[in-house]
Amino acid sequence: MPLTIVLLGAILSIACENDTKDIDRLANIKAEEAVDISKDVTVIYSDSAKVKAELKAPEMRVYHDSTGNYEFKKGVLIIFFDEHAKEMQRVTSEYALQKKLEGLTEFRNNVVITKVDGTVIKTEELIYDENNKKYYGSQPITAEYNDGRTSAQGTSFTANEDFNDIRFMNGTAIHYPSSDSQLPSFGN
C-alpha cells in the first residue's frame, strides 16, 4: 500500500507540474491581432462625386485595434487626379502605412513620385500630413525635372500636395542651359 501511495503522489505531482507549465504558456500567449487582409485591392477615393485618387495594392491590412491603421506590406500605387479627372501624379513605394488617428501616411522603400509632366522624384521616405496638406521626408531626395536639363538633390524636404513647390534642405541643383538661354556667358 505505501508503494501505491508514493506512485500515485508522483503521478499527481507530475500532472500538476505539466498543468502549471501549460497554464504559464497559455497566460503568455498574446491575443491574436484583429486584422483583415485583402488581396489585389483597388480603392477609389472620391469627393462630391469626383474621383480624387485610385489606390492599387497586392495586399492591404486593416487593423481593428485602437489604431485603425491600414498597412501595405507588399507595396502600393496611388494615382492622383485633378478636378477634370485627368492624372496629375503617381506615388509608388514598396511599403506604406496609413495612421488614421494621426492623419499621417508613410511611404517607405523605393518611393517614386511621377508627375504627369515627366518630372520624377525619388526618396526612401515620404510622409503625407493630411491635416496640413503637405508632404515631407527626412531621407535624401532627388528630382529629375521634365526639361531634361535640371536635377536637384537634398538631404530632406517639404512639398505641397501636388509637388509644385519642393523645399530641399541642404540642396544642390544642376541646370544645363539651352543654347538660347539668357544667362550671361563667361570667358567667350
Side-chain angles (χ1 to χ4, degrees), residues 112-125:
V112 179
I113 300 101
T114 308
K115 294 180 53 77
V116 73
D117 70 1
T119 300
V120 177
I121 303 159
K122 296 179 181 180
T123 185
E124 290 299 310
E125 174 190 72

Side-chain angles (χ1 to χ4, degrees), residues 159-171:
N160 64 347
E161 278 188 303
D162 56 8
F163 277 90
N164 287 333
D165 182 16
I166 305 172
R167 308 273 169 126
F168 296 92
M169 279 32 120
N170 301 313

Side-chain angles (χ1 to χ4, degrees), residues 11 29 31 51 73 78 80 86 112 126 140-141 151-152 164-165 171 177:
I11 291 171
I29 293 176
V51 174
K73 290 184 172 186
I78 302 177
F80 295 93
K86 292 186 179 181
V112 179
L126 176 67
I141 181 173
S151 66
N164 287 333
D165 182 16

